[in-house]
Amino acid sequence: MLGWLRKSLCTDLAIDLGTSSTRVGLPGEGIRLDEPSVVAVGRGSSRVAGRGLAVGRMAAQMLGRTPEGIRAVRPLKHGVISDFELCEVMLRYFLQKATGGRRGLRPRVLIAVPGGISAVERRAVFNSAERAGAGRIWLIDQSRAAGIGAGLPVAEPLASMVCDIGSGSTDISVLSLADVVASESIRTAGDAMDEALSRWLRRRYSLRVGLQTCETLRIGIGSAAPLDDELSQEVSGLDTVSGNPRRALVTSEEVRAALLEPLSEIVDAIRLTIERCQAELISDLADTGIVLTGGGALLRGIDRYLSQQLGIPVRLANAPRHAVTNGAMICLDHLERWQGGLDNGLRAA
Ligand SMILES: Nc1ncnc2c1ncn2[C@@H]1O[C@H](COP(=O)(O)OP(=O)(O)OP(=O)(O)O)[C@@H](O)[C@H]1O
Ligand SMILES: [Mg+2]
């Protein structure tokens, strides 16, 4: 179809289907939606609350107000669909919202998914997107999109490395000549850090603290490297000995100690990815280093920590939470150039 005619009839959408947030971008227009990947359903039923509208931000708001009648469901775990029906509901809602209900042909969508997912899991994304109203569908590896979005010279004959730390998975890739040369995807990211923090608080303070509180604590005072001015924050939880609610003052040094285990798993995964590269590429990486994307990379001092552990330069991308969507938008904008490396559903079948 003529490019201009297609453009006027059909919307292209770049989707970062994340474990904690979904972002939708329209090439040429920017990111149109960034909302929690959450659906609120009635307790004891699978009906979406709020007459089918309790999705994303609206679901999160409703949960705060009427907690007893509804429960929150995240349709993705570790970047992979775990509830097909609700994922489809969520995608349909987000697609409509991002396009403002524009009429025309079914949109063409490019969806970023973790690199390590199986053919069956890929198929689930295709099916959900199709049933949610998408026309043509392509999938792109999350870290490849992140590299493109972070402005790395991924199409050059030079190795560059990107590490996307989300909430459900950390995706690491070495890219060269527009291809993924080596990659690794692990399930250790923001959520695993909160679980480690929760375990630590239980051991150290005999305090049972919810994962949401742990996330607030991690964002509030968490760090991967020593801070100039160390911080502290009070948390409330349930005393596991007395069974009574109790507060404790936690320091940033303590949170850092609790995060050591998940952080070292990320270091190991990066090492493994580097080891898989040829010697020439490894010597490139010593100069080009690693670019960090994803919300988990906003942890204070994580660039310094990784650089110290790995002995190569590490820097944080601009707008790390949006790098994947930005990269997918660039691919859609230059589809003829990138199409060969995208999954169109035929390979995965
Ligand atoms: N300022 C901050 N400091 C530390 N962590 C942060 C900050 N802001 C967000 N995060 C963390 O970023 C994570 C979410 O990042 P992101 O939006 O990239 O994940 P996602 O794309 O939904 O998940 P995934 O890619 O794993 O499927 C959460 O664990 C959140 O706690
Ligand atoms: Mg992500």
Side-chain angles (χ1 to χ4, degrees), residues 1 7 28 31 42 84 91 98 118 125 132 136 146 158 165 170 177 212-213 227 257 259 267 291 303 313 331 336:
M1 199 188 299
K7 268 203 168 121
I31 293 183
F84 302 97
L91 265 178
S118 69
V125 181
R136 288 200 67 176
L158 178 79
I165 308 173
T170 293
L177 285 170
Q212 197 99 54
T213 307
L227 304 174
L259 298 183
V267 171
V291 169
D303 47 352
C331 286
E336 14 15 276

Side-chain angles (χ1 to χ4, degrees), residues 113-329:
V113 294
I117 70 173
S118 69
V120 174
E121 290 163 337
R122 283 175 176 267
R123 183 45 52 204
V125 181
F126 277 107
N127 290 345
S128 270
E130 195 171 8
R131 284 203 294 265
R136 288 200 67 176
I137 302 159
W138 295 275
L139 305 189
I140 183 169
D141 281 0
Q142 199 168 286
S143 52
R144 191 170 193 217
I148 298 167
L152 292 180
V154 296
E156 311 270 313
L158 178 79
S160 46
M161 189 169 201
V162 61
C163 173
D164 183 275
I165 308 173
S167 68
S169 71
T170 293
D171 283 78
I172 305 149
S173 275
V174 175
L175 303 149
S176 175
L177 285 170
D179 228 340
V180 176
V181 193
S183 66
E184 183 68 32
S185 177
I186 56 166
R187 295 184 161 197
T188 303
D191 289 349
M193 293 186 202
D194 298 335
E195 283 155 20
L197 195 48
S198 168
R199 283 195 302 273
W200 192 89
L201 287 167
R202 204 169 174 140
R203 264 202 321 264
R204 170 75 176 78
Y205 285 107
S206 303
L207 208 59
R208 207 172 83 204
V209 176
L211 293 176
Q212 197 99 54
T213 307
C214 290
E215 183 184 29
T216 309
L217 186 64
R218 172 169 57 85
I219 294 178
I221 64 169
S223 61
L227 304 174
D228 289 341
D229 295 306
E230 295 290 350
L231 307 162
S232 64
Q233 192 168 310
E234 204 169 51
V235 287
S236 338
L238 200 70
D239 189 310
T240 56
V241 180
S242 71
N244 293 330
R246 184 164 60 82
R247 291 170 183 279
L249 189 70
V250 182
T251 67
S252 47
E253 286 104 326
E254 291 175 313
V255 174
R256 198 155 57 238
L259 298 183
L260 203 60
E261 194 181 315
L263 285 171
S264 63
E265 284 170 16
I266 294 175
V267 171
D268 289 346
I270 297 177
R271 280 209 182 103
L272 201 68
T273 317
I274 296 176
E275 278 167 15
R276 292 202 191 114
C277 295
Q278 290 170 351
E280 294 78 29
L281 296 183
I282 295 177
S283 81
D284 284 350
L285 291 178
D287 298 328
T288 54
I290 307 175
V291 169
L292 303 178
T293 61
L298 291 167
L299 182 71
R300 294 171 188 80
I302 194 166
D303 47 352
R304 245 183 315 137
Y305 168 80
L306 291 176
S307 175
Q308 228 165 38
Q309 294 290 313
L310 298 158
I312 57 177
V314 179
R315 71 176 172 87
L316 189 63
N318 292 325
R321 290 183 65 257
H322 288 165
V324 170
T325 322
N326 287 335
M329 281 195 285

Side-chain angles (χ1 to χ4, degrees), residues 15-23 35-38 74-80 90 94 111-114 142 166-169 324:
I15 304 174
D16 176 6
L17 191 55
T19 309
S20 67
S21 300
T22 296
R23 285 137 293 217
E35 298 202 21
S37 304
V38 181
R74 272 182 172 190
L76 288 111
K77 291 209 163 47
H78 303 293
V80 173
M90 185 177 85
F94 285 157
I111 306 177
V113 294
Q142 199 168 286
S167 68
S169 71
V324 170

